Amino acid sequence: MAKILPFQGIRPTRDKVSLVSCRSFEDYSAVELAYLIDYNPFSFLHVLHPAYVNPQKVTSDKRFKMVAAKLKDFKKENILVQEDKPIFYLYQIQTRHHVFTGIIAGTTLEDYRSDVILKHEDTLEYRVELFKEYLDYGRFNTEPVLMMYPDQEHINHWIDQCKTTRPIYDFSTVDKQRHTLWRVEDDKDITWLCEQFEQVDRMYIADGHHRFASANLLQEEDPENLKGHNHSVMTYLISERNLKIYEYNRIIHDLNNYTKEEFLELLEQKFIIKNKEQQLWKPTQKMEFGMYLDGDFYSLKLRNTKRTNDILQQLDAQILYDEVLHPILGLDDLRNDARIDYIPGNESIVTIKEMVDDGEYEVGFMLYPTNVEEIKEVAENNLIMPPKSTYIEPKFMNGLLIYEI
């Protein structure tokens, strides 16, 4: 049974929410960051990276202390306010192509350890350690873990009813997204929601594995450091039907010393290859791959599909690695090899074409997206997907809600 917890969130005042909230720090170019930090005194970027001007001269512990101090400044200046009591939130993100609606709540480290909450991605030790240090100094998180749960019709109906009430926020951003937030403060609603999730056997981390792992490590190292409801993580709970799962496409800098002709000959041993020439082509089914090489698009269809009950061997990302990236292109460590980069599937394949045409990369591969059932099967079998198998939306705004620990 899953346990969810209301929390006493900290959030921007209604008049400043569009000025405070921001995308993840890594999403901005250096020019954008400089502009926002120089000209928007309310941006949460001031909290996230207060040492922006001279980051290389500031140690991580000092920077994290500055983050905590800047958050206190925002609270003292009434840019941020705290709820009077623990509550839930309903949050809707409307992009150009999709509408995502979910519940913001705390989920417990106990459920994470007891496999009520399951994961499908591996974590990097250094990233877990770094974010644990950030949590230890900063004592807050503002980017929830994206968690999916099996679709529940009664919860869907409740969400629809909540959306007829007046939200506390309803604003648009320069990337043409609309963000709407409702407070769920009625005790009856809070109790009812908790009861509904108690009937959910399993939930699945869709995005944010490192954040959960870091909170768990912090609590394990110092159990007395986090008390009461703070043995939990802020989570954006969303029905599995409401997720949008994209592939991660691959671009590689070189052909591992093969000529184009030699490379195509090696591929033909394993794939049926069709030259699509200038057609912007991408796969339409599993075990089919797109490729862009030397000005032409190609379709690659696996000649011999292996019958296997191993879910990992059925994943297109694993097949591409086993058949092409590792044996032909000589790529071993997909996380750390500098010869390969990744383009999320929500970007046009024109991006891949342009990057290859510019000469920095030799070849690009387009994959068919993984589906929800594959993610769940991997997680339920305690397995780990290949690196960069999925790019999942929605993405959360920083500074919209702050979860103190």
Side-chain angles (χ1 to χ4, degrees):
M1 297 189 303
K3 185 176 183 180
I4 64 170
L5 302 170
F7 65 99
Q8 204 166 351
I10 298 170
R11 55 182 177 80
T13 56
R14 188 192 297 266
D15 63 311
K16 296 183 180 66
V17 62
S18 62
L19 295 170
V20 173
S21 57
C22 62
R23 304 194 305 273
S24 177
F25 183 84
E26 292 82 5
D27 289 349
Y28 294 96
S29 68
V31 173
E32 289 176 310
L33 281 173
Y35 177 82
L36 288 169
I37 288 175
D38 285 345
Y39 295 103
N40 181 3
F42 301 111
S43 174
F44 204 72
L45 292 169
H46 290 282
V47 177
L48 294 176
H49 207 63
Y52 172 71
V53 177
N54 294 302
Q56 68 279 2
K57 297 181 180 179
V58 179
T59 60
S60 60
D61 60 336
K62 185 175 181 180
R63 179 163 62 88
F64 294 153
K65 288 177 182 177
M66 293 169 67
V67 167
K70 196 64 179 178
L71 179 67
K72 289 180 181 178
D73 290 343
F74 267 46
K75 290 163 69 175
K76 287 178 183 177
E77 295 168 10
N78 290 322
I79 298 170
L80 301 174
V81 294
Q82 187 162 28
E83 301 288 357
D84 295 330
K85 68 171 190 174
I87 63 173
F88 292 127
Y89 299 89
L90 185 68
Y91 179 37
Q92 179 173 284
I93 305 170
Q94 182 175 344
T95 69
R96 290 178 236 190
H97 306 293
H98 302 283
V99 177
F100 306 99
T101 310
I103 300 157
I104 303 175
T107 52
T108 68
L109 295 173
E110 180 182 358
D111 280 356
Y112 179 75
R113 294 179 188 134
S114 61
D115 290 337
V116 173
I117 294 172
L118 298 178
K119 58 183 182 292
H120 70 270
E121 285 186 4
D122 205 356
T123 53
L124 297 175
E125 185 177 348
Y126 84 91
R127 285 189 61 192
V128 172
E129 185 66 34
L130 185 66
F131 194 70
K132 183 213 75 172
E133 187 181 357
Y134 163 84
L135 289 176
D136 197 16
Y137 282 106
R139 314 306 296 172
F140 77 92
N141 184 26
T142 184
E143 191 171 0
V145 172
L146 182 62
M147 187 92 67
M148 66 179 183
Y149 61 88
D151 194 64
Q152 308 285 326
E153 189 57 41
H154 42 290
I155 295 180
N156 294 340
H157 178 72
W158 176 85
I159 287 173
D160 289 339
Q161 291 296 112
C162 282
K163 287 165 65 174
T164 64
T165 63
R166 183 172 182 258
I168 54 169
Y169 301 144
D170 189 2
F171 66 99
S172 296
T173 54
V174 294
D175 54 355
K176 297 183 179 179
Q177 291 190 1
R178 182 177 177 182
H179 299 264
T180 312
L181 188 77
W182 293 264
R183 298 170 78 245
V184 181
E185 57 183 329
D186 185 273
D187 290 341
K188 291 181 180 179
D189 282 334
I190 291 173
T191 300
W192 183 85
L193 262 185
C194 290
E195 291 172 349
Q196 300 312 303
F197 277 91
E198 285 175 358
Q199 299 174 40
V200 174
D201 292 329
R202 285 173 173 168
M203 300 193 293
Y204 305 81
I205 299 176
D207 190 23
H209 289 76
H210 285 87
R211 293 192 286 279
F212 232 117
S214 297
N216 185 57
L217 181 61
L218 179 61
Q219 201 275 333
E220 285 181 339
E221 290 185 354
D222 190 358
E224 296 302 315
N225 201 10
L226 302 175
K227 299 181 182 297
H229 82 279
N230 291 327
H231 286 182
S232 60
V233 174
M234 182 167 66
T235 310
Y236 186 35
L237 301 162
I238 191 166
S239 163
E240 60 189 34
R241 291 187 185 179
N242 199 205
L243 284 177
K244 179 61 181 175
I245 304 173
Y246 294 95
E247 71 282 9
Y248 254 116
N249 297 312
R250 279 86 164 113
I251 48 175
I252 295 93
H253 284 280
D254 61 76
L255 297 181
N256 198 25
N257 294 320
Y258 291 114
T259 65
K260 171 187 171 181
E261 291 71 26
E262 290 170 338
F263 180 58
L264 288 172
E265 285 179 10
L266 290 169
L267 287 180
E268 272 196 307
Q269 296 174 20
K270 301 180 179 183
F271 298 91
I272 299 169
I273 303 177
K274 292 183 180 179
N275 190 335
K276 300 291 185 177
E277 298 180 343
Q278 295 301 301
Q279 179 185 350
L280 295 173
W281 191 88
K282 61 189 301 185
T284 58
Q285 59 184 343
K286 284 183 60 60
M287 299 189 183
E288 186 177 63
F289 303 88
M291 181 176 73
Y292 184 70
L293 173 68
D294 193 28
D296 286 332
F297 284 91
Y298 297 82
S299 71
L300 309 178
K301 190 169 183 178
L302 201 62
R303 289 186 182 274
N304 300 308
T305 57
K306 302 173 185 176
R307 292 186 178 181
T308 175
N309 292 324
D310 186 341
I311 180 59
L312 289 180
Q313 298 303 316
Q314 300 173 34
L315 298 176
D316 283 5
Q318 188 67 45
I319 292 170
L320 184 67
Y321 176 78
D322 290 341
E323 303 293 342
V324 181
L325 301 185
H326 180 57
I328 299 177
L329 292 177
L331 293 161
D332 294 318
D333 185 355
L334 297 185
R335 287 187 179 277
N336 301 306
D337 198 314
R339 294 172 56 218
I340 186 169
D341 285 305
Y342 302 89
I343 305 294
N346 64 340
E347 291 192 29
S348 170
I349 59 174
V350 173
T351 302
I352 295 174
K353 179 183 185 302
E354 291 174 345
M355 295 176 80
V356 173
D357 288 347
D358 286 345
E360 184 179 356
Y361 299 89
E362 285 287 332
V363 62
F365 292 97
M366 288 73 77
L367 285 72
Y368 189 72
T370 301
N371 61 48
V372 165
E373 292 307 317
E374 289 172 326
I375 291 175
K376 291 168 65 174
E377 188 172 350
V378 167
E380 288 165 6
N381 284 280
N382 198 29
L383 298 171
I384 299 299
M385 282 191 165
K388 298 292 186 181
S389 291
T390 57
Y391 180 86
I392 300 178
E393 289 184 343
K395 300 299 183 184
F396 200 83
M397 295 290 284
N398 284 257
L400 189 65
L401 279 173
I402 293 94
Y403 191 87
E404 287 193 311
I405 63 173

